[in-house]
Amino acid sequence: GGVIGLILSAWCNDALLQQLRSLLASVNFSFVVKLRPDATVLAITLLFCLIATMLFSLGPALKATKTDLVKDLKEQIGEPARIGRLSRFFAPRHISVMAQIALSLMLLFAAGLFFRGALKAAGLNPGFVARGDIVSEFDFSLIKKTPADSRRLIFEMVRRVRELPGVTASATGTMLPYSDFTSARRVIRTKDAMPNDPKAADPSVNSLFTAITPGYCEALGIKLLRGREFTQSESENKDARRVAIIDEELSTKLFPNEEPIGQHIRYTNPPKDGSPNDMEIVGVVSKHRHSVDNDSLVCRLFVPLAQGYTGQTYLHVRLNTQDRRAVAAFIPTLRQTLREIDPDLPLLQITPFIDLMERSPNLWIVKIGATLFGAFGAIALILAVVGVYGVKAYAVACRTREIGIRMALGARKRDVFALIMRQGAMQTALAIVAGLVLSLGAGRVLAKILYDVSPSDPLALIIATLMLASAALLACFFPANRATRVNPITALRTE
């Protein structure tokens, strides 16, 4: 058993390593690790195997050394020792199986919580269209170019890529939704003043900050609800008039009962370079998420690229198809075009946006949790079923003479079947009650890494309970059914 477990653990380690590689590839982080058992791991594995063998063999071994010869002879000649119903119900082997069932329920419930979270995260509407979008990440701080030259290169990239066949839109932004990087600015209406009293209500709003080029809304797949996008001159000229685009979430918070277009906002902390701190709102876009684990949709502020340029930028290329294979097949063409523009472009990665989203760290945690606890729960369920079946089969074999006497005295097959099933059902019910307590405790421990699921989620609890109860009762069914086929004469003669 230990050898088989060791082989399975090595296979699971490889699977986990592949998941880690796919995650870390999205954050430009490399690592080298070898998840193989060494001498220490093998020694500890052997030790636990020996401990488990000793623990589960010691009880029967000690019991066998305390044999009562007179009692055994009496049982052989027809005077069986009287065993109380309660003693039989709480025999050590039954307690062991009930503990298995309780722990299995806890693991199944944890798996259910993660599966529920994974399903919710997978079905979450981010507010933009990731399919059909290829994202290229650049860091222009890695090359020796002035910010003005880097911006000209960015605009050239956007223009050349937009002319490629099959491309419907292209634009850049300094922040990528569902990435591990955020940039925020706190803004306030220009006509409002920050209160001097720290206890007074703060009229400013914190918002995610992105500098973009024209066509960003179409490239990302968000809707322009009112107003307009930035013009080319506004995006290229650092000294152009200050304009901004906000999302409807920020519009609702700053201008709940007013038309936002034409209103003016400013940063609570003025720019350090002394540039004007007053922006006119020219557009409002639909709200969209930045991460899976947002409790609520965050506010967003967009400014022209030249007025908020940073070295890190993301190029969005929107294709006329959302087919995953067609999008992936376009990557070599896009890569070649970028090399033709400048072979020294600081390109960090180029991949379909939908792949980046699926490798989001927060989403990955939910998925790997569902996978791991699902595997643990399945193994625990199998062990519980095997345990229940083994103990019940052994109990029926031990009670063959008793069952034969009952049937000889007039007990019907259904009475014998109910006798065995009733005891199994009562033990399963008792184990499930204990398992429910353990499950609720495990849910509280896992609460911080669950996604949008209550740690005492009733649906996961009900499904896990029904699944385990059904499996345990099915394991009881076969020994109980075998008990109904006991021949009274044969049973008595055998004894």
Side-chain angles (χ1 to χ4, degrees):
V3 171
I4 295 173
L6 197 62
I7 294 171
L8 288 175
S9 68
W11 177 81
C12 291
N13 285 342
D14 289 337
L16 181 61
L17 195 59
Q18 291 298 326
Q19 292 281 340
L20 284 170
R21 285 198 184 103
S22 65
L23 169 68
L24 297 177
S26 65
V27 292
N28 299 314
F29 184 83
S30 300
F31 73 108
V32 177
V33 65
K34 185 179 180 182
L35 293 178
R36 288 289 182 273
D38 57 13
T40 304
V41 174
L42 288 171
I44 293 174
T45 303
L46 177 61
L47 178 64
F48 275 106
C49 288
L50 292 175
I51 291 174
T53 303
M54 292 290 292
L55 286 176
F56 288 96
S57 302
L58 193 59
L62 291 175
K63 185 178 179 181
T65 63
K66 297 178 180 179
T67 304
D68 188 338
L69 184 60
V70 176
K71 185 178 73 173
D72 289 345
L73 288 174
K74 284 183 177 181
E75 289 183 359
Q76 292 299 322
I77 63 175
E79 295 183 15
R82 296 182 179 181
I83 301 175
R85 188 175 295 180
L86 193 63
S87 299
R88 178 183 291 164
F89 188 88
F90 288 104
R93 58 178 177 271
H94 290 150
I95 293 176
S96 174
V97 170
M98 286 190 282
Q100 277 185 301
I101 294 174
L103 293 173
S104 299
L105 178 58
M106 180 184 70
L107 290 173
L108 284 174
F109 174 63
L113 291 178
F114 277 101
F115 275 124
R116 291 263 290 157
L119 289 174
K120 286 192 175 184
L124 187 68
N125 180 14
F128 55 85
V129 183
R131 295 188 179 276
D133 183 7
I134 299 177
V135 174
S136 305
E137 182 182 359
F138 301 88
D139 189 350
F140 286 90
S141 64
L142 301 177
I143 59 176
K144 296 180 180 179
K145 287 184 181 294
T146 64
D149 290 338
S150 296
R151 289 197 298 271
R152 280 192 288 270
L153 192 56
I154 290 173
F155 285 112
E156 176 65 13
M157 283 193 314
V158 173
R159 184 187 65 80
R160 288 280 299 277
V161 169
R162 191 179 293 143
E163 294 172 353
L164 293 175
V167 176
T168 60
S170 65
T172 62
T174 56
M175 190 173 64
L176 181 70
Y178 277 66
S179 69
D180 57 346
F181 167 76
T182 58
S183 177
R185 301 286 190 279
R186 185 166 285 276
V187 294
I188 189 174
R189 299 190 301 180
T190 302
K191 60 184 179 182
D192 292 338
M194 292 295 291
N196 294 323
D197 186 1
K199 296 182 179 180
D202 187 355
S204 64
V205 178
N206 197 40
S207 58
L208 294 180
F209 174 84
T210 310
I212 62 175
T213 60
Y216 182 82
C217 292
E218 185 180 0
L220 186 61
I222 58 177
K223 296 179 181 179
L224 181 66
L225 302 178
R226 293 194 291 279
R228 62 173 177 84
E229 289 198 61
F230 301 133
T231 63
Q232 192 69 25
S233 60
E234 289 170 341
S235 296
E236 292 180 351
N237 186 3
K238 186 178 181 180
D239 298 322
R241 74 188 186 102
R242 300 286 162 170
V243 291
I245 294 174
I246 61 176
D247 72 340
E248 53 184 329
E249 190 78 8
L250 183 57
S251 172
T252 301
K253 291 186 177 181
L254 288 180
F255 311 102
N257 301 311
E258 302 177 64
E259 169 59 44
I261 303 299
Q263 300 280 1
H264 288 253
I265 60 175
R266 62 182 175 87
Y267 302 119
T268 55
N269 294 320
K272 295 180 180 179
D273 59 1
S275 56
N277 188 21
D278 182 83
M279 297 170 286
E280 180 185 349
I281 298 174
V282 297
V284 177
V285 298
S286 58
K287 51 191 176 183
H288 49 286
R289 289 179 175 268
H290 182 74
S291 175
V292 173
D293 64 345
N294 288 142
D295 293 331
S296 60
L297 294 169
V298 295
C299 301
R300 288 183 175 271
L301 169 68
F302 301 94
V303 300
L305 181 67
Q307 298 175 16
Y309 170 77
T310 61
Q312 187 173 20
T313 59
Y314 300 89
L315 172 66
H316 295 267
V317 179
R318 171 70 55 185
L319 303 181
N320 58 5
T321 178
Q322 293 187 4
D323 182 73
R324 198 164 191 162
R325 288 177 294 181
V327 172
F330 188 81
I331 290 178
T333 302
L334 177 58
R335 191 187 301 275
Q336 181 61 34
T337 303
L338 295 174
R339 285 176 179 167
E340 292 173 358
I341 296 171
D342 188 337
D344 296 326
L345 276 175
L347 177 61
L348 302 182
Q349 66 172 329
I350 178 170
T351 185
F353 195 6
I354 190 70
D355 291 354
L356 281 177
M357 286 183 60
E358 290 180 354
R359 294 200 301 262
S360 168
N362 294 317
L363 184 58
W364 179 84
I365 289 174
V366 175
K367 287 183 176 180
I368 198 66
T371 303
L372 287 176
F373 278 97
F376 295 155
I379 293 171
L381 180 62
I382 293 172
L383 291 177
V385 169
V386 171
V388 171
Y389 174 81
V391 167
K392 286 300 164 190
Y394 176 71
V396 168
C398 291
R399 299 176 70 180
T400 300
R401 184 168 181 269
E402 174 198 341
I403 293 171
I405 293 174
R406 288 177 180 271
M407 297 185 74
L409 294 176
R412 292 168 294 182
K413 288 186 177 182
R414 65 182 182 184
D415 297 324
V416 174
F417 181 83
L419 175 70
I420 305 300
M421 286 297 295
R422 183 165 55 248
Q423 187 184 57
M426 291 174 63
Q427 289 169 343
T428 300
L430 187 61
I432 284 177
V433 171
L436 290 175
V437 176
L438 291 175
S439 299
L440 294 175
R444 292 185 177 276
V445 173
L446 299 172
K448 291 186 178 180
I449 56 175
L450 294 174
Y451 174 73
D452 199 24
V453 177
S454 168
S456 56
D457 182 66
L459 183 60
L461 206 59
I462 291 172
I463 291 176
T465 302
L466 291 177
M467 186 183 301
L468 186 61
S470 301
L473 292 177
L474 183 63
C476 291
F477 171 82
F478 295 102
N481 187 54
R482 185 182 303 166
T484 63
R485 296 197 295 269
V486 171
N487 187 321
I489 303 301
T490 304
L492 294 173
R493 283 178 178 173
T494 301
E495 292 296 331

